[in-house]
Amino acid sequence: MIICVMRDTNLLAICEYRFFAKIYVMPERITAAGGIVENEDGKILFQYRRGKWDLPKGKLEEGETIEECAVREVEEETGLRNIILGELVGITHHFYTEKQKEIDKETYWYAMKANGEQQLVPQLQEDILELRWIHENELQEYLSDTYPNIIEIVEKYFDSDNQIN
């Protein structure tokens, strides 16, 4: 513990600021977007990536809107085309450390619809090993092997009117 004893209150404030600045570093914010994609049978698309079931999403690129990012990332990671973009379901935050930097990944999640019989193509360069359409009554099995923010947004999706009919 550092104790600063000074008569000038400005110097004390600087000393306290420097002490706390070493303890807490604001995380870098990364903005991402993705989708809860539903097919014509009412099933939700999950992907198996890095040992967990997840939803398709990715980082916002310079010059694109958050909605464009969501559709692009879903298409890139799944091979789906002509996705219908629905309402914003919610925003989640995922905190992690990468290359010794604290990261706050803020992800915007949209309801999406995939029409017709489309071939699923996992994006292997993003470590996506499998894509699977999941019926609502099968969700618990997949949610037991996923991240807390995925559980949060899937529950919000099914509890709301954000689905595309």
Side-chain angles (χ1 to χ4, degrees), residues 17 20-21 23-29 95 101-104:
Y17 169 76
F20 288 113
I23 292 174
Y24 183 75
V25 176
M26 291 294 290
E28 177 185 332
R29 169 73 51 88
F95 296 90
K101 289 191 328 190
E102 296 297 317
I103 307 292
D104 169 13

Side-chain angles (χ1 to χ4, degrees), residues 69-152:
C69 173
V71 171
R72 176 185 55 77
E73 284 291 343
V74 169
E75 289 180 345
E76 287 177 0
E77 292 189 355
T78 67
L80 292 172
R81 296 292 175 252
N82 303 315
I83 293 169
I84 300 168
L85 180 68
E87 296 294 318
L88 178 68
V89 176
I91 302 169
T92 61
H93 288 266
H94 174 64
F95 296 90
Y96 61 96
T97 303
E98 184 177 85
K99 298 178 185 173
Q100 298 180 329
K101 289 191 328 190
E102 296 297 317
I103 307 292
D104 169 13
K105 187 174 185 179
E106 180 179 63
T107 305
Y108 291 73
W109 296 100
Y110 289 87
M112 297 183 182
K113 188 79 165 181
N115 290 320
E117 294 276 331
Q118 296 189 50
Q119 181 179 359
L120 297 174
V121 182
Q123 189 179 24
L124 298 176
Q125 59 267 44
E126 289 292 329
D127 301 321
I128 300 167
L129 302 179
E130 184 178 352
L131 296 166
R132 192 178 292 177
W133 292 108
I134 308 300
H135 193 276
E136 186 177 358
N137 64 10
E138 302 171 300
L139 275 175
Q140 196 53 47
E141 175 185 344
Y142 296 87
L143 293 179
S144 68
D145 190 19
T146 192
Y147 303 99
N149 61 334
I150 300 300
I151 295 168
E152 172 190 336

